[in-house]
């Protein structure tokens, strides 16, 4: 037996999956960019079993790939092709341990599906504010490990901002318990921060204490056609001022992004009477019964129309219409897939420079690859642009994307860097952006990351080849 087989054979058989038919869904990422191999998937039922797995695999020098819902956009949760790495799925650690309504907090297992946390909070008349397109399948442990963003960052922050405490199995199997749901706790280094956004390279998260918010009493949602993308910063500014900063989402959608989807999903209706080049999906919410955000939204739209910043718009008059708006927004990635997929650039830009960046980057693409279909959308309220490029109908998608990534993507990333932006807003590094971190990351920061990795995971067996380049 090789070391992987020996290590796996010494674990409780109830947590071991060896059937390659079942294993296949764990070794290919959601976007099907990368397929690896593994001899076994381990599905622990308790924190103690996660500890046992870590110490056993370390003893036999077997690398571990922690996995949540496997929705990573940067192939961070899949094993390599050697077959020697073992996947540890957290899917059976899926209990809500406690909801403390008085403290506005909940403590949960890491394998809880994100949408189940929404339900658990709603049951107590509260809100768990992290919201992503993948929420029916991603897990909170994966969200924490990627420091996920999503559609409500403008109001509630990134995942890091809503984590109060963590429980983590370290690479040697020891348990770091820092699950306190306190808001204030300045008691030495805030070690848990290291594991947030670490993409499983420093340990396996098994539990988390999380912030909750009051459930909104009133939600207002508008789908707006805007005249000029360069006015996005002004629109955002007005929206925040008029609604007393109760904006929860401010999403940009380009005409192409919407129409790629509607062309393939013919049952979907266009939200406005006439098409426009640029749209904003805006939502504001309040838990107060005293604040009139409906009135504030009406006043905002009137002002924006008078100024010519908004040329058309619809305010959701029912939950069904609101769901329709969000369905369109959240299915844009699917629209891209149905049209041959896309080259994704998950970019972060200062909100004050958004409009200019979108214009310059669009020019750059169209002068270097004129046939490209630009699909630009994103959580622009927090500066996050998904600047994606879809192959033209007459191209072979895989060839187009490969060539684009080699020739034009580097120009886009150079523009991002010269604009003071980031090449990775919310999806992380995984294995696909290691070269970008090496090129654009601060050298001392990258060296410090390596020192942290070496200190916590000296053998380098915790999710190798992701985030920190192998030596
Ligand atoms: C349709 C769609 C929409 C999306 N929208 C967004 C979005 O708006 N914002 C956004 O930020 N992302 C988005 N994503 C990307 C993805 O859903 C997020 O990165 C999500 O947080 C990943 O969670 P997961 O449970 O699927 O993690 P996985 O994909 O399983 O893992 C991601 C990383 O975390 C590690 N990991 C997972 N669980 C643990 C654990 N318990 N302990 C230690 N490490 C662990 C893995 O090793 C890997 O490195 C989207 C993806 C899809 C498919």
């Amino acid at each position: 037996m090789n070391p992987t087989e020996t290590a796996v054979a010494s674990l409780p058989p109830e947590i071991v999956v060896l059937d390659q038919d079942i294993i296949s869904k764990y070794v290919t990422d959601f976007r099907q960019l990368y397929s690896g191999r593994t001899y076994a998937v381990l599905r622990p039922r308790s924190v103690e079993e996660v500890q046992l797995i870590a110490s056993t695999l370390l003893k036999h020098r077997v690398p571990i790939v922690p996995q949540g819902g496997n929705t990573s956009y940067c192939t961070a949760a899949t094993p390599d092709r050697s077959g020697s790495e073992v996947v540890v799925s957290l899917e059976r650690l899926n209990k809500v341990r406690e909801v403390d309504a008085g403290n506005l907090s909940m403590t949960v297992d890491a394998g809880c599906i994100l949408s189940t946390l929404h339900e658990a909070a709603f049951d107590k008349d509260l809100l768990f504010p992290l919201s992503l397109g993948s929420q029916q399948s991603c897990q909170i442990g994966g969200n924490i490990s990627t420091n996920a963003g999503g559609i409500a960052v403008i109001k509630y922050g990134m995942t890091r901002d809503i984590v109060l405490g963590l429980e983590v199995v370290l690479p040697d199997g020891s348990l770091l318990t820092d699950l306190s749901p306190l808001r204030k706790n300045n008691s030495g280094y805030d070690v848990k921060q290291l594991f947030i956004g670490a993409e499983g390279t420093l340990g396996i998260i098994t539990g988390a204490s999380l912030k909750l918010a009051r459930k909104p009493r009133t939600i207002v949602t508008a789908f707006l056609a805007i005249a000029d993308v360069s006015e996005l910063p002004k629109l955002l500014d007005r929206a925040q001022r008029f609604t007393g900063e109760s904006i929860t989402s401010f999403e940009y959608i380009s005409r192409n992004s919407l129409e790629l989807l509607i062309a393939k999903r013919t049952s979907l209706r266009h939200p406005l009477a006439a098409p426009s080049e640029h749209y904003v999906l805006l939502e504001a919410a309040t838990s107060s019964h005293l604040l009139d955000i409906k009135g504030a939204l009406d006043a905002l739209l009137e002002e924006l129309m008078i100024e010519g910043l908004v040329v058309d718009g619809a305010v959701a008059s029912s939950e069904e219409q609101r769901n329709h708006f969000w369905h369109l927004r959240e299915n844009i990635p699917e629209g891209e897939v149905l049209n041959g997929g896309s080259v994704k650039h998950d970019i972060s830009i200062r909100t004050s420079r958004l409009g200019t960046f979108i214009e310059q980057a669009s020019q750059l693409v169209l002068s270097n690859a004129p046939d490209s279909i630009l699909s630009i959308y994103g959580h622009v309220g927090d500066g996050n642009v998904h600047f994606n490029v879809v192959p033209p109908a007459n191209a072979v998608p895989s060839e187009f994307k490969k060539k684009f990534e080699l020739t034009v993507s580097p120009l886009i990333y150079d523009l991002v860097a010269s604009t003071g932006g980031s090449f990775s807003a919310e999806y992380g590094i995984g294995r696909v952006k290691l070269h970008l971190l090496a090129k654009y990351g601060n050298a001392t920061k990258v060296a410090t990351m390596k020192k942290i990795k070496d200190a916590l995971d000296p053998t380098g067996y915790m999710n190798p080849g992701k985030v920190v380049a192998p030596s």
Side-chain angles (χ1 to χ4, degrees), residues 50-269:
V50 179
Q51 291 184 266
L52 177 67
I53 288 169
S55 57
T56 305
L57 296 192
L58 178 68
K59 189 169 116 197
H60 293 276
R61 296 287 190 262
V62 176
I64 293 179
V65 180
Q67 191 175 97
N70 197 16
T71 65
S72 164
Y73 267 165
C74 54
T75 75
T78 41
D80 70 9
R81 296 189 174 116
S82 68
S84 63
E85 297 179 357
V86 167
V87 173
V88 177
S89 167
L90 277 292
E91 63 199 347
R92 286 160 100 183
L93 280 187
N94 56 10
K95 301 264 180 318
V96 174
R97 299 185 193 174
E98 181 197 32
V99 178
D100 185 344
N103 190 52
L104 286 178
S105 65
M106 67 181 356
T107 302
V108 304
D109 284 352
C112 287
I113 302 279
L114 177 54
S115 61
T116 65
L117 300 189
H118 297 152
E119 288 157 20
F122 256 61
D123 284 350
K124 303 273 182 184
D125 214 29
L126 296 169
L127 174 79
F128 181 58
L130 178 66
S131 187
L132 324 179
S134 54
Q135 61 198 25
Q136 300 297 336
S137 41
C138 64
Q139 297 174 8
I140 189 63
N143 303 143
I144 294 168
S145 301
T146 56
N147 187 26
I151 60 171
V153 170
I154 186 173
K155 171 100 171 167
Y156 301 104
M158 300 283 280
T159 301
R160 185 183 302 283
D161 299 301
I162 50 180
V163 172
L164 293 168
L166 282 187
E167 177 188 79
V168 186
V169 172
L170 298 181
D172 64 1
S174 56
L175 188 66
L176 185 153
T177 305
D178 182 10
L179 270 179
S180 161
L182 299 174
R183 258 77 177 172
K184 288 191 168 178
N185 190 5
N186 281 347
S187 48
Y189 295 159
D190 192 359
V191 175
K192 69 175 179 294
Q193 298 297 341
L194 284 176
F195 302 93
I196 304 174
E199 300 181 38
T201 58
L202 299 178
I204 305 176
I205 297 171
T206 51
S209 293
L210 305 162
K211 282 184 199 167
L212 297 173
R214 306 260 170 228
K215 188 161 140 186
R217 281 170 174 262
T218 314
I219 300 175
V220 290
T221 313
F223 204 102
L224 308 175
I226 64 169
D228 185 348
V229 72
S230 68
E231 302 286 16
L232 276 174
K234 197 188 275 184
L235 274 160
L236 177 60
D237 173 76
R238 297 286 155 78
Q240 286 177 319
R241 285 174 194 273
F242 271 72
T243 61
E245 298 192 89
S246 39
I247 296 289
T248 49
S249 302
F250 188 91
E251 301 281 312
Y252 170 73
I253 301 171
S254 65
R255 178 176 180 166
N256 281 349
S257 300
L258 190 62
E259 293 188 351
L260 285 167
L261 174 66
I262 291 178
K264 296 286 179 184
R265 287 269 177 260
T266 47
S267 59
L268 291 174
R269 303 182 313 279

Side-chain angles (χ1 to χ4, degrees), residues 150-405:
I151 60 171
V153 170
I154 186 173
K155 171 100 171 167
Y156 301 104
M158 300 283 280
T159 301
R160 185 183 302 283
D161 299 301
I162 50 180
V163 172
L164 293 168
L166 282 187
E167 177 188 79
V168 186
V169 172
L170 298 181
D172 64 1
S174 56
L175 188 66
L176 185 153
T177 305
D178 182 10
L179 270 179
S180 161
L182 299 174
R183 258 77 177 172
K184 288 191 168 178
N185 190 5
N186 281 347
S187 48
Y189 295 159
D190 192 359
V191 175
K192 69 175 179 294
Q193 298 297 341
L194 284 176
F195 302 93
I196 304 174
E199 300 181 38
T201 58
L202 299 178
I204 305 176
I205 297 171
T206 51
S209 293
L210 305 162
K211 282 184 199 167
L212 297 173
R214 306 260 170 228
K215 188 161 140 186
R217 281 170 174 262
T218 314
I219 300 175
V220 290
T221 313
F223 204 102
L224 308 175
I226 64 169
D228 185 348
V229 72
S230 68
E231 302 286 16
L232 276 174
K234 197 188 275 184
L235 274 160
L236 177 60
D237 173 76
R238 297 286 155 78
Q240 286 177 319
R241 285 174 194 273
F242 271 72
T243 61
E245 298 192 89
S246 39
I247 296 289
T248 49
S249 302
F250 188 91
E251 301 281 312
Y252 170 73
I253 301 171
S254 65
R255 178 176 180 166
N256 281 349
S257 300
L258 190 62
E259 293 188 351
L260 285 167
L261 174 66
I262 291 178
K264 296 286 179 184
R265 287 269 177 260
T266 47
S267 59
L268 291 174
R269 303 182 313 279
H270 202 291
L272 303 177
S276 164
E277 291 307 310
H278 311 287
Y279 302 94
V280 163
L281 173 55
L282 178 155
E283 188 158 281
T286 179
S287 58
S288 165
H289 62 285
L290 298 173
L291 293 181
D292 176 18
I293 54 167
K294 281 190 177 135
L297 180 70
D298 289 344
L300 169 70
L301 297 187
E302 195 181 325
E303 172 76 14
L304 295 176
M305 290 274 197
I306 290 169
E307 285 192 63
L309 295 173
V310 163
V311 291
D312 193 8
V315 176
S317 57
S318 63
E319 191 58 17
E320 187 194 356
Q321 195 177 11
R322 173 179 177 241
N323 290 341
H324 175 59
F325 292 168
W326 277 110
H327 186 78
L328 292 171
R329 163 62 188 88
E330 280 169 357
N331 283 282
I332 290 172
E334 191 200 332
E336 292 177 353
V337 171
L338 294 171
N339 285 276
S342 62
V343 181
K344 291 189 188 298
H345 308 91
D346 168 37
I347 284 162
S348 186
I349 294 287
R350 291 184 199 196
T351 49
S352 53
R353 297 176 184 171
L354 268 172
T356 318
F357 170 79
I358 291 175
E359 284 178 338
Q360 288 179 345
S362 302
Q363 277 300 323
L364 187 69
V365 170
L366 295 177
S367 56
N368 284 279
D371 294 344
S372 308
I373 302 171
L374 286 167
S375 173
I376 311 168
Y377 64 97
H379 321 296
V380 296
D382 59 51
N384 187 179
V385 188
H386 297 312
F387 191 87
N388 297 350
V389 180
V390 173
N394 60 357
V396 177
S398 56
E399 286 172 14
F400 173 89
K401 287 188 275 184
K402 198 169 173 192
K403 185 170 170 208
F404 192 97
E405 275 170 352

